[in-house]
Amino acid sequence: WSIAWGVRYLNQILQIRFDFMYQAFSTAREAFEADTDALLAQLEASYTGPGDVAQLDELLGERAAQAVDWLWAQSDALVVAFANNGGKGYPAWWLESEEVGYEEGPVRA
């Protein structure tokens, strides 16, 4: 899996109910970014010179792989969380309205 396809897939999922899904995604994204910022601060504080480049490369490569996995997992989590429209379906007053006729089902022509 690549980050590019992961972003495209996530974007398609967010379009289903962007008004609700993006807020849920943003909360998770902010937490992931905060963890990444903490890792970068830790790496910067422990950096002693060019001899650390191989270790930094390995650690940052691992974080990039985690980001790809995290991104795909977020897509799956959104699909599961909003499978029933995230509890944000039609309001009860609308469903029960005689004018709408939802309880009678579709009209056959």
Side-chain angles (χ1 to χ4, degrees), residues 29-47:
R29 188 199 74 232
E30 289 169 4
F32 187 84
E33 288 175 353
D35 289 346
T36 301
D37 289 343
L39 173 64
L40 291 174
Q42 179 184 356
L43 293 175
E44 185 176 8
S46 65
Y47 181 74

Side-chain angles (χ1 to χ4, degrees), residues 6-26:
V7 168
R8 288 179 65 136
Y9 182 64
L10 175 64
N11 183 52
Q12 292 298 314
I13 290 170
L14 287 172
Q15 295 307 312
I16 295 169
R17 279 306 299 263
F18 191 84
D19 52 344
F20 297 114
M21 292 176 132
Y22 186 73
Q23 185 174 354
F25 169 71
S26 290

Side-chain angles (χ1 to χ4, degrees), residues 66-84:
Q66 291 169 357
V68 172
D69 292 343
W70 176 86
L71 185 68
W72 284 94
Q74 289 307 302
S75 297
D76 293 343
L78 286 169
V79 168
V80 170
F82 289 88
N84 69 350

